[in-house]
Amino acid sequence: MAFTNFHGHCAYCDGKETPEAFIREAVRQRMPVYGFSSHAPLPFDLPWPMRAENTEKYIAAIESLKHTYAGQIEIYTGLEVDYIPQIAGPGQPSIRQWPLDYTIGSVHFVDFFPEGRPWEIDGLHQVFLKGLEEIFQHDIEKAIRRYYALLRQMVQEDPPDVIGHLDKIKIQSEEGQLFSEEAKWYREAVEETLEVIAQSGIIVEVNTRGIYKKKSAEPYPSYWILEKIKAKNIPIMLNADAHHPQEITACFEEVAARLQAIGFEQFRLLRRGVWQDVAFNTQGIQDDES
Ligand SMILES: [Zn+2]
Ligand SMILES: [Zn+2]
């Protein structure tokens, strides 16, 4: 048995190493499936998205790997697409023009600074504090509610196949210094969002990057949110958000154990080109081909 990973970056965006280096490591770990999800290009000057002129090469590189490694591992082509209303989203023509197997939709930006730059909510804490002051007048509740409202808007108006790192904004309040996940308003915002997701049928990824990068003790989303996700029968998948080949299954064993304890039995995954529910345990997914 082995795990799968559908949230993977590489040197085409801000990841390290070529796509093939990730596949070699995935094959070494006997993973049956691997999905690439480079950051889709954005019309802003940022260091981490893929450059628009490289998208075609990125897709061709993965297509070529699909042939090279046929019979050893299934490979899928995806993009992690930012949702910024009217500017970027999974359903925009700039994304839909490509022959993608899937999209991950993520909210990395909440509204704009007065000078027009989008406010990055999962970057430097100083930038977070600046936006909190200039856009939301230090009102953390208003800012976080706006983040979750954007997630709901994405799900309802421009849905991806998978929702990326649902509660990543929590890293800005790691010690509870800006807000507590136990605050009533926070729980309400999350609950309202899960309600919308449950009706959409979209998959929520369980993303381990915060744990191995030591930005959060729990995955995105937190375990109390995953309990609600289980209660609402929302499908999940386990992803690493890997930026380096060494990260492609980081912390999967411990998180899979917690997911089992919550009551999850299956991940929803692409296998042989079809989304399906596949049983898992702490060693990986049940591989019906072996
Ligand atoms: Zn992301
Ligand atoms: Zn990512």
Side-chain angles (χ1 to χ4, degrees):
M1 293 182 90
F3 285 105
T4 63
N5 176 43
F6 284 85
H7 193 150
H9 299 278
C10 62
Y12 278 93
C13 55
D14 60 343
K16 306 286 182 282
E17 309 284 343
T18 61
E20 185 158 20
F22 286 85
I23 292 304
R24 278 199 298 265
E25 176 58 20
V27 167
R28 195 192 68 75
Q29 294 192 30
R30 299 178 182 279
M31 293 168 80
V33 186
Y34 195 87
F36 288 97
S37 61
S38 273
H39 290 290
L42 280 169
F44 304 105
D45 185 22
L46 294 159
W48 46 266
M50 185 156 54
R51 297 168 63 90
E53 64 268 29
N54 286 338
T55 315
E56 200 168 350
K57 274 185 262 174
Y58 164 73
I59 290 174
I62 297 169
E63 284 304 312
S64 152
L65 287 175
K66 288 182 185 184
H67 294 293
T68 308
Y69 288 86
Q72 293 185 70
I73 184 169
E74 280 178 40
I75 301 171
Y76 292 103
T77 312
L79 282 172
E80 181 180 9
V81 184
D82 274 85
Y83 180 66
I84 307 172
Q86 275 85 55
I87 293 176
Q92 295 274 319
S94 62
I95 303 298
R96 283 170 47 173
Q97 66 175 308
W98 305 110
L100 300 173
D101 297 312
Y102 69 100
T103 55
I104 295 176
S106 298
V107 173
H108 299 113
F109 299 103
V110 173
D111 298 344
F112 298 84
F113 284 103
E115 74 267 24
R117 206 159 37 90
W119 180 37
E120 197 171 354
I121 55 83
D122 68 339
L124 293 174
H125 191 58
Q126 284 313 314
V127 173
F128 185 84
L129 293 178
K130 192 162 182 278
L132 187 58
E133 177 187 350
E134 293 183 15
I135 308 167
F136 290 95
Q137 293 73 48
H138 299 289
D139 189 338
I140 186 72
E141 177 178 337
K142 201 170 162 199
I144 304 282
R145 280 183 181 279
R146 177 71 183 136
Y147 169 80
Y148 281 105
L150 283 167
L151 273 175
R152 291 192 294 273
Q153 193 179 339
M154 173 176 77
V155 169
Q156 290 177 316
E157 295 177 10
D158 198 352
D161 296 301
V162 180
I163 296 174
H165 42 65
L166 182 94
D167 65 349
K168 196 175 184 190
I169 200 164
K170 73 183 173 190
I171 61 172
Q172 301 294 350
S173 185
E174 173 60 8
E175 248 84 274
Q177 66 272 46
L178 289 175
F179 66 92
S180 162
E181 287 187 56
E182 281 165 27
K184 189 162 171 283
W185 63 264
Y186 185 78
R187 298 209 161 219
E188 279 170 5
V190 169
E191 180 76 38
E192 193 181 343
T193 305
L194 296 184
E195 209 43 65
V196 169
I197 294 169
Q199 281 163 26
S200 73
I202 297 175
I203 301 161
V204 170
E205 71 161 0
V206 180
N207 179 317
T208 59
R209 187 165 178 79
I211 307 177
Y212 64 81
K213 294 301 279 184
K214 308 223 179 313
K215 291 200 168 175
S216 79
E218 299 191 3
Y220 314 123
S222 296
Y223 291 119
W224 68 267
I225 299 177
L226 284 160
E227 283 171 14
K228 291 182 181 293
I229 284 173
K230 177 73 185 81
K232 290 182 194 301
N233 263 318
I234 295 169
I236 61 163
M237 59 166 41
L238 182 56
N239 284 336
D241 205 344
H243 287 62
H244 189 282
Q246 298 310 319
E247 297 169 347
I248 60 178
T249 54
C251 302
F252 275 21
E253 220 179 300
E254 63 178 85
V255 173
R258 291 291 298 266
L259 294 173
Q260 275 189 314
I262 290 170
F264 288 103
E265 294 174 345
Q266 296 175 316
F267 294 143
R268 185 159 296 173
L269 307 169
L270 263 179
R271 297 291 325 259
R272 293 173 290 281
V274 181
W275 289 105
Q276 48 194 282
D277 293 325
V278 182
F280 73 92
N281 64 27
T282 58
Q283 298 309 302
I285 62 159
Q286 184 187 314
D287 197 354
D288 54 11
E289 286 181 353
S290 59

